[in-house]
Amino acid sequence: MRYYSCSSFSWCAIFYLASLLHFQVTNCHRTSGYSHESEISGENSKWMSSLPDNVPLSSLSLPGTHESLSRGHGGAIAECQTLSLESQLRAGIRVLDVRCRHIEDSFAIHHGMIFLHIMFGDVLQQLEAFLKNNPSETILMRVKEEYEAVNVTGTFEETFSHYYNENPTLFWHTDNETGERPDPTLRSVRGKVVILDNFSSTTKYGLNYGDSGQFIIQDDFKFSTNWDLYDKWMKVKDQVRNADVSRRSGENKFFLNYLSGSFGSFPYFVASGHVTSGTGEHRLSTGLTTLTARDKYPDFPRLDCILKGQMYS
């Protein structure tokens, strides 16, 4: 699913020819694992209702989104989602990544310097509406300070506490004052938003995202080129294995596993391996075949090739 910058004309020509052969013999690539649509294909608003109340939060596998509100402002290099927040929640997403720029004692949702045309208060209203209609569910929300503050009279925490205190029934409130790491049961967080604190604070608002003893995070998002995708894939797999080992040993740690990446690759490519962002677009071939690189990328997707071998895609 990757390519790299060619250093010689002859290799460029070979790569180009291989790509042409690939596109001549393959159809569009559709999989339920990737969608670039603006509407959901299934309703999963109440999927947590089937889970028992006494399940610890750390034992659940919760689907989430990276840069949850980044829906196209800033172009393809900054677009991380195509679904609205409401649609993500209806699809079953239960972990959100919300980046707040502190501006005029309010929070504007940003992706770096890019304003995403929504305010934090709007986000809270949508979460409250969803949980009111679906009280069996819980939402974990990472809150992170983004970009530079402007025209503020207090700290980021002071403004956050204002939002927090104005919505007392929306948030899960930890009652842990002992310094131990909390691991609430699903019963205690149903119908609530659990804050993952990712900003400097003196008060406990939820779970401490920065606690390396409780949160084990894989978030290797910087790609130099498309060729970095296999290394990312291995880190994702290792994180899944580590989470399994941890849970079997009785630990109550939270494992976050980001599948996202950017910089030297478009986010849609990291998610799909496609030439462009479309749901049914062709895979972007690596230019490698099993005839010339039999043991390269042993668990990468492959497609039949006109040369009677297989092409890594």
Side-chain angles (χ1 to χ4, degrees), residues 6-24:
C6 301
S7 58
S8 68
F9 176 80
S10 59
W11 175 242
C12 281
I14 294 172
F15 174 79
Y16 181 64
L17 175 59
S19 297
L20 288 177
L21 292 173
H22 168 64
F23 290 130
Q24 288 173 354

Side-chain angles (χ1 to χ4, degrees), residues 18-29 275 280-285 302-306 310-313:
S19 297
L20 288 177
L21 292 173
H22 168 64
F23 290 130
Q24 288 173 354
V25 298
T26 61
N27 295 319
C28 291
H29 175 226
V275 176
E281 284 295 328
H282 292 287
R283 290 171 176 165
L284 181 65
S285 76
R302 302 173 187 177
L303 298 169
D304 290 337
C305 176
I306 200 171
Q310 289 181 318
M311 177 165 294
Y312 298 84
S313 61

Side-chain angles (χ1 to χ4, degrees), residues 91-120:
I93 293 299
R94 294 296 177 266
V95 184
L96 302 176
D97 177 19
V98 177
R99 316 291 181 91
C100 302
R101 183 186 184 187
H102 196 193
I103 180 168
E104 297 180 354
D105 296 333
S106 295
F107 288 166
I109 309 304
H110 268 241
H111 184 170
M113 66 181 295
I114 303 167
F115 176 46
L116 301 180
H117 296 258
I118 187 171
M119 302 297 288
F120 191 58

Side-chain angles (χ1 to χ4, degrees), residues 1 22-23 25-37 229 268-285 300-303 313:
M1 286 194 271
H22 168 64
F23 290 130
V25 298
T26 61
N27 295 319
C28 291
H29 175 226
R30 285 188 174 272
T31 170
S32 60
Y34 174 75
S35 171
H36 200 264
E37 308 303 317
L229 187 55
Y268 70 75
F269 169 79
V270 179
S272 67
H274 289 178
V275 176
T276 65
S277 59
T279 302
E281 284 295 328
H282 292 287
R283 290 171 176 165
L284 181 65
S285 76
F300 242 43
R302 302 173 187 177
L303 298 169
S313 61

Side-chain angles (χ1 to χ4, degrees), residues 183-204:
D183 184 14
T185 61
L186 188 54
R187 176 190 293 108
S188 66
V189 298
R190 288 194 195 273
K192 304 290 184 181
V193 173
V194 179
I195 295 296
L196 306 183
D197 301 357
N198 193 199
F199 56 90
S200 178
S201 64
T202 59
T203 301
K204 291 181 179 179

